[in-house]
Amino acid sequence: MSLEALEDASAVRDDEGGKEPAGGEAHPGDAPAANGGAAAGGRPTEAGGAPVVAPRTVGELRNLMARASRDGRQVRFIGNATSLPPGYLDGPVDLVVSTRALDTVHAYDPADLTLTADAGVSFGQLERVTGEQGQWLPLDPPGRARRSLGGVLASGAYGPLQGKFGTPRDHVLGLTLVTGDGRVLELGGRVVKNVAGYDLVKLAVGSGGRLGIVTSATVRLHPLPVRDVTLLYQTPRLALAVVLARSLATAPVRIPALELLAGHGEEPTVAVRLLGSPEAVAESERILNGRVGREASRRLEGEASARWFAALERFEDDAAAVARVSHLPSRLGDLVEPAVECGTVAAHVSLGVLRVAVRGPGASEAAVLDALARLRDGVASAGATFRVSRANIPRWPAPEPATAPGVLALTRGIVDSFDPAGVLSRPAS
Amino acid sequence: MIAKPPRLSTGLADELVRIVGEDGVITDPARLMVYESDGLTAYRYPPRAVVLPRDGDETAGVVRAIAAERVPFVARGSGTGLSGGALAVDGAVVVCTARMNRILELDLHNRRARIQPGVVNAHLTAATQPHGLYYAPDPSSQSACSVGGNVAENSGGPHCLKYGVTSRYIRGLDVVLPDGSRVYLGDRGLDTGELDLAGLFVGSEGCFGIAVEIDVELLPLPQATHTLLGIFERLEDAGRAVTAIIADGLLPAALEIIDQATIRAVEESIFAAGYPTDAAAALVVEFDGIEVGLEAEAARAEAACLECGAREVRRATSADARAALWKGRKKAFGAMGRIAPDLLVQDATVPRTRLPDVLAEIAQIGRRYDLKVANVFHAGDGNLHPNILFDRRDATEMERVELASKEIMRICVDAGGTITGEHGVGLDKRDYMSLIHSDDTLWAMESVRRVFDPAGLCNPGKVLPDRIRGMDPAGAAEAGSDRARTIVPAGATA
């Protein structure tokens, strides 16, 4: 079994006895890409019980999916497999398809601020390529550096920078999707404004491998900001931190990233990241300090600012489980209190989304389940939605929020049209 | 080509009156004429009737009643659409949202508003401005167009260069599906693990149902705005200035070009804005945000314009002075109406760096077909509006307009662009869809449409070519990799 396949599996399975959870760098070159895999006659590696194949072309992938669909073989997709949803590889899986052999940056036009790359290209690689031209893809999902473009798009994962730049759906101009039954769909385009037909790009982004596999995408880039400043406001009392965070969130300034961190005996911290021209950043800083009536406890600039937020990208790394809780931003206070009782909290303040990490690795399975259940019940009374986005325990019983019947019917119909044979993962309900 | 629509059955007419009241149902042919066309005036389709519900419940009742009789229907906002998306093809009943124009809730703490679809775009911003907030998408028709229509078309506007288009600002939608059932499509798929059905619905051009309540996100008003107007001797220079500004790492709120034909039309009209008529192009550059940063950004943009050959750059910071600089851009369409009886507003997007080549080719096409083409466009986005001036009473000119349009679409697609950037496909561009999408992709769109509207009653005849709408799922859905995918028309055996 390849190192990467082991990493893949360790993120979600318990049968890798004693292995560290996937926390290190990815090793895209370590495993020989199986040529077309089992279905195409190559020598597959394995993830858990199922062989892993890494097609090198869209054509191979199309053939593979068409066959799997015809033969009714269950297929799952992985990128660098650092952030698979809990239980994604559970159940009968016949074949795992990896995007790691799809690893080319096809087109990069700095003057147009657009880039087209394969799904297997890592965010670290994208950062290097675009950084050389003074540009970036301002998307900072958990575990960014080692995640693949395709994986982030499939999961819809995002981070603090959504406050200004949006989530993956807002960055993607177009993508190629190989459907569950092996159709190759070129969706969207390469231009920043495009309303030619129904927006199936939005449907594919965040679809979690239910419709097919994203093989490449064109994304919109931005110029790197001239000034990058992080302001950290610390306060001993959580309630005060919430008031401070909300006060900043309603300031008459657009804040690119605004996070509240709390829990595990640490002093609650409100983190603000400001990006832009030196003058605008300095003025924003003045406005924000004036609004909360104090200076920040710490001020980081340039590399140090970027590094602080890069460290926050690793917030979920050593967690035994991560739950996401969301509500209106103004309800932050109602959610943070119960959340810190169950784990450490990182909240996207202006969006009203809390990530709650139950820390391992010492935490027993029973303790993790207990913490998640307490959190679920604690936030349910406030009317928030609750979802476990990551769990390194064998069986989270998946009490996902109940989907409205109308939404469920539409979802089923859409999923059926992309995967008529039902060979991809389906929602539990 | 105006076909008379079938009459509404007495039973359905009575039922609609029962739901929305006597004053909410229009069947008088003279009054229906208002609804037979939208902003794309070349087409006329008189509707069977027009119904004006006042809220979501009435809309659901209306749709249920219409669907029960298997009568097609189409939602319509203010009728400002430019692709024929709200035309009553197939004798459809128009469900007009004009009476659903209330702002239901303004949630200042969360910077959101819940509104009815008939709320006029500019009215939403007017209502939120006193609270320091505004609604960002600003289509040129914002003083008339409805947010419901913006949702259907995923509308843009000059300022979406910096702020993004409508879909970015829609948090959720309460939708009446084509069978009359209600469903809430929410939160852009964020943190629910659901498919982004709200994102899919935005831009579905009224084919997936009718949004009866819309949750929108509001932004804090920018502290200040600086506007520049660059005057250029050559259109290509203005195009190069756009690229230079972006290459300098600047992100203006808007970057708009108007060409000489448009400048002259404006200056000869009552909208004269003081643009020099011998100039080949005018470039509007706008920055907004924190005031102290704007001066430096404006200075860099000014330098970029001058370096690219601008003969003059005017700057404005006060509201009045800014309005004067914008006037020529904003009144361009109104002014063009004065120099020719008809105007075809085209819409396509190309990669920004291809603008100079594509503009030159468009000029050539205009000359070849002996047509007057005037360009007004969102240069920063590469979103072109080559507008063809013509007289529909001249049959041969109509034919040339048609051919020139096709060629313009073709060169935009060849340049790596697309057939519509913000106006939508509607009725007008269905046949261009195959220029950019494979049959597989078109069929995937049709399959999704059928999930929302299996009976095919909701805005028929739009977006997809008829041959795709008529496809047989048995033929199209058959899985297989080693054969060319063929699509079987309805009725044929697979």
Side-chain angles (χ1 to χ4, degrees):
Chain A
M1 183 181 284
S2 76
L3 185 58
E4 192 180 350
L6 277 172
E7 279 194 8
D8 295 346
S10 68
V12 289
R13 298 183 77 90
D14 66 334
D15 53 4
E16 304 297 341
K19 261 202 68 69
E20 289 291 311
E25 290 293 308
H27 305 272
D30 283 0
N35 181 11
R43 195 162 53 82
T45 56
E46 285 192 354
V52 178
V53 297
R56 287 175 305 191
T57 66
V58 173
E60 281 180 11
L61 192 47
R62 179 191 60 208
N63 293 342
L64 186 151
M65 286 314 304
R67 280 192 177 202
S69 184
R70 192 190 59 201
D71 301 343
R73 287 157 56 88
Q74 287 294 311
V75 180
R76 300 293 179 267
F77 305 124
I78 57 173
N80 278 337
T82 57
S83 312
L84 294 173
Y88 181 67
L89 293 182
D90 288 352
V93 176
D94 299 306
L95 191 64
V96 174
V97 173
S98 164
T99 57
R100 71 169 172 260
L102 298 168
D103 58 359
T104 307
V105 174
H106 290 283
Y108 176 24
D109 196 335
D112 279 323
L113 291 163
T114 59
L115 177 145
T116 304
D118 278 342
V121 169
S122 75
F123 268 67
Q125 197 178 338
L126 285 179
E127 188 178 7
R128 280 190 297 280
V129 171
T130 58
E132 284 169 13
Q133 301 293 330
Q135 298 180 350
W136 68 326
L137 176 61
L139 191 54
D140 55 351
R144 178 187 57 91
R146 61 180 188 276
R147 288 182 81 163
S148 67
L149 178 63
V152 169
L153 301 191
S155 67
Y158 61 90
L161 287 173
Q162 57 72 33
K164 176 170 181 181
F165 297 100
T167 61
R169 75 199 287 275
D170 302 307
H171 295 273
V172 180
L173 304 176
L175 54 82
T176 303
L177 181 82
V178 178
T179 64
D181 57 349
R183 284 169 287 155
V184 179
L185 307 182
E186 304 279 350
L187 306 177
R190 291 185 180 190
V191 287
V192 294
K193 269 169 92 181
N194 188 354
V195 291
Y198 309 132
D199 196 347
L200 302 188
V201 173
K202 296 277 189 309
L203 202 51
V205 173
S207 62
R210 282 175 281 178
L211 308 180
I213 179 167
V214 174
T215 60
S216 67
T218 299
V219 292
R220 181 180 187 173
L221 303 173
H222 295 252
L224 275 166
V226 178
R227 186 62 52 89
D228 184 340
V229 167
T230 292
L231 305 175
L232 302 174
Y233 299 88
Q234 287 171 318
T235 170
R237 283 182 46 211
L238 184 57
L240 278 179
V242 169
V243 170
L244 195 139
R246 285 293 304 152
S247 176
L248 293 169
T250 51
V253 170
R254 256 186 118 195
I255 300 178
L258 174 55
E259 299 283 300
L260 170 66
L261 307 169
H264 264 272
E266 303 266 335
E267 192 163 42
T269 300
V270 179
V272 173
R273 190 172 186 190
L274 299 172
L275 306 167
S277 70
E279 299 90 345
V281 167
E283 178 66 5
S284 299
E285 217 176 313
R286 199 188 60 76
I287 293 172
L288 295 178
N289 285 339
R291 185 165 176 91
V292 296
R294 56 171 282 194
E295 297 280 310
S297 319
R298 281 176 73 199
R299 182 183 184 283
L300 307 169
E301 193 174 318
E303 278 291 309
S305 172
R307 264 201 311 275
W308 193 92
F309 269 90
L312 185 57
E313 289 169 3
R314 297 191 289 276
F315 173 79
E316 301 186 6
D317 280 8
D318 61 347
V322 178
R324 303 179 72 87
V325 175
S326 66
H327 206 330
L328 286 172
S330 57
R331 302 294 299 274
L332 181 69
D334 302 337
L335 307 182
V336 171
E337 299 280 352
V340 293
E341 299 297 316
C342 307
T344 44
V345 175
H348 303 312
V349 175
S350 359
L351 193 63
V353 171
L354 277 71
R355 292 183 288 155
V356 185
V358 181
R359 296 288 170 200
S364 72
E365 190 185 321
V368 171
L369 287 174
D370 175 60
L372 290 173
R374 277 188 293 126
L375 177 63
R376 181 192 57 204
D377 299 343
V379 300
S381 57
T385 64
F386 167 90
R387 187 166 68 93
V388 175
S389 62
R390 184 164 183 172
N392 288 342
I393 49 174
R395 289 281 178 272
W396 167 247
E400 293 292 314
T403 304
V407 171
L408 195 60
L410 292 173
T411 302
R412 285 197 174 132
I414 290 167
V415 168
D416 283 344
S417 79
F418 284 82
D419 173 27
V423 300
L424 306 180
S425 70
R426 295 274 162 132
S429 45
Chain B
M1 63 176 246
I2 303 178
K4 246 178 106 175
R7 287 174 60 86
L8 209 58
S9 75
T10 322
L12 180 53
D14 291 348
E15 177 65 5
L16 294 176
V17 167
R18 190 190 65 74
I19 298 168
V20 300
E22 198 80 55
D23 57 351
V25 180
I26 301 171
T27 51
D28 169 14
R31 290 182 63 204
L32 289 177
M33 277 176 66
V34 176
Y35 299 89
E36 69 186 21
S37 110
D38 61 6
L40 183 76
T41 51
Y43 298 91
R44 272 148 215 251
Y45 289 88
R48 195 179 302 215
V50 174
V51 195
L52 295 122
R54 283 163 294 207
D55 59 25
D57 289 343
E58 287 190 2
T59 308
V62 164
V63 169
R64 267 197 304 274
I66 297 172
E69 293 214 8
R70 302 192 61 78
V71 170
F73 62 93
V74 51
R76 177 186 171 108
S78 304
T80 56
L82 290 165
S83 56
L87 296 178
V89 175
D90 293 351
V93 171
V94 167
V95 180
C96 181
T97 61
R99 293 205 297 181
M100 292 199 267
N101 59 358
R102 284 180 299 138
I103 295 173
L104 301 171
E105 190 191 339
L106 207 50
D107 179 355
L108 301 175
H109 290 295
N110 294 300
R111 293 182 173 165
R112 292 180 194 191
R114 169 165 285 211
I115 62 169
Q116 289 188 313
V119 169
V120 169
N121 177 300
H123 295 180
L124 178 55
T125 284
T128 55
Q129 243 164 359
H131 307 285
L133 300 172
Y134 77 114
Y135 179 63
D138 61 338
S140 296
S141 56
Q142 74 180 133
S143 60
C145 66
S146 69
V147 177
N150 297 166
V151 165
E153 303 298 319
N154 194 12
S155 305
H159 291 85
C160 66
L161 170 62
K162 178 171 176 183
Y163 292 103
V165 294
T166 299
S167 67
R168 184 77 190 269
Y169 297 91
I170 303 302
R171 303 290 322 201
L173 298 155
D174 184 353
V175 170
V176 170
L177 292 175
D179 64 357
S181 62
R182 286 280 273 280
V183 60
Y184 187 81
L185 309 178
D187 246 355
R188 309 186 293 191
L190 289 180
D191 294 289
T192 56
E194 307 283 358
L195 297 179
D196 182 6
L197 297 182
L200 172 67
F201 190 90
V202 176
S204 59
E205 302 201 23
C207 297
F208 292 0
I210 303 175
V212 291
E213 288 184 15
I214 305 170
D215 288 322
V216 304
E217 198 172 314
L218 305 168
L219 291 184
L221 282 166
Q223 202 183 59
T225 307
H226 280 218
T227 307
L228 294 83
L229 181 73
I231 306 291
F232 290 85
E233 306 270 340
R234 292 168 4 131
L235 182 57
E236 302 89 280
D237 291 346
R240 286 198 300 121
V242 167
T243 299
I245 288 167
I246 298 287
D248 195 22
L250 293 168
L251 181 57
L255 263 177
E256 303 276 309
I257 290 181
I258 69 174
D259 72 356
Q260 187 171 54
T262 310
I263 292 173
R264 288 186 176 166
V266 170
E267 293 304 320
E268 284 160 19
S269 76
I270 51 164
F271 306 118
Y275 291 12
T277 51
D278 63 331
L283 169 65
V284 179
V285 188
E286 185 155 284
F287 293 95
D288 66 8
I290 299 283
E291 180 147 29
V292 291
L294 297 185
E295 182 51 39
E297 294 188 342
R300 280 161 66 194
E302 179 172 355
C305 287
L306 293 171
E307 233 163 76
C308 291
R311 75 173 192 216
E312 179 193 351
V313 180
R314 302 177 187 174
R315 280 167 72 169
T317 52
S318 77
D320 286 349
R322 288 200 299 110
L325 294 192
W326 269 105
K327 195 173 173 191
R329 165 66 184 90
K330 297 219 166 169
K331 298 295 180 190
F333 292 103
M336 279 181 224
R338 302 169 54 87
I339 49 177
D342 293 289
L343 174 68
L344 181 70
V345 180
Q346 265 302 0
D347 170 43
T349 313
V350 298
R352 187 172 39 236
T353 50
R354 299 297 308 275
L355 279 175
D357 311 344
V358 170
L359 287 167
E361 285 186 67
I362 289 173
Q364 222 171 46
I365 291 169
R367 280 194 296 274
R368 190 147 25 89
Y369 287 99
D370 191 22
L371 291 168
K372 197 160 179 106
V373 182
N375 291 286
V376 181
F377 55 98
H378 311 305
D381 290 319
N383 188 184
L384 292 162
H385 294 312
N387 303 304
I388 306 178
L389 300 146
F390 66 103
D391 182 345
R392 87 174 69 190
R393 290 163 301 187
D394 179 342
T396 68
E397 190 174 52
M398 281 288 280
E399 208 171 293
R400 283 182 281 130
V401 168
E402 183 79 7
L403 291 169
S405 272
K406 258 186 203 149
E407 282 199 35
I408 290 172
M409 284 301 122
R410 166 62 74 185
I411 59 163
C412 290
V413 170
D414 288 348
T418 189
I419 58 166
T420 169
E422 57 182 8
H423 295 168
V425 178
L427 185 68
D428 192 37
K429 289 189 169 166
R430 292 179 309 153
D431 293 334
Y432 296 144
M433 286 287 273
S434 297
L435 287 180
I436 48 167
H437 296 303
S438 70
D439 276 6
D440 271 348
T441 298
L442 293 175
W443 170 245
M445 290 183 189
E446 168 65 3
S447 306
V448 169
R449 190 200 62 75
R450 289 184 190 187
V451 171
F452 282 81
D453 179 26
L457 297 175
C458 191
N459 206 6
K462 307 293 167 59
V463 183
L464 297 169
D466 283 336
R467 69 185 172 83
I468 300 289
R469 285 282 290 239
M471 252 162 37
D472 176 0
E478 186 193 329
S481 59
D482 43 9
R483 63 179 174 82
R485 216 173 165 71
T486 47
I487 275 149
V488 184
T493 44

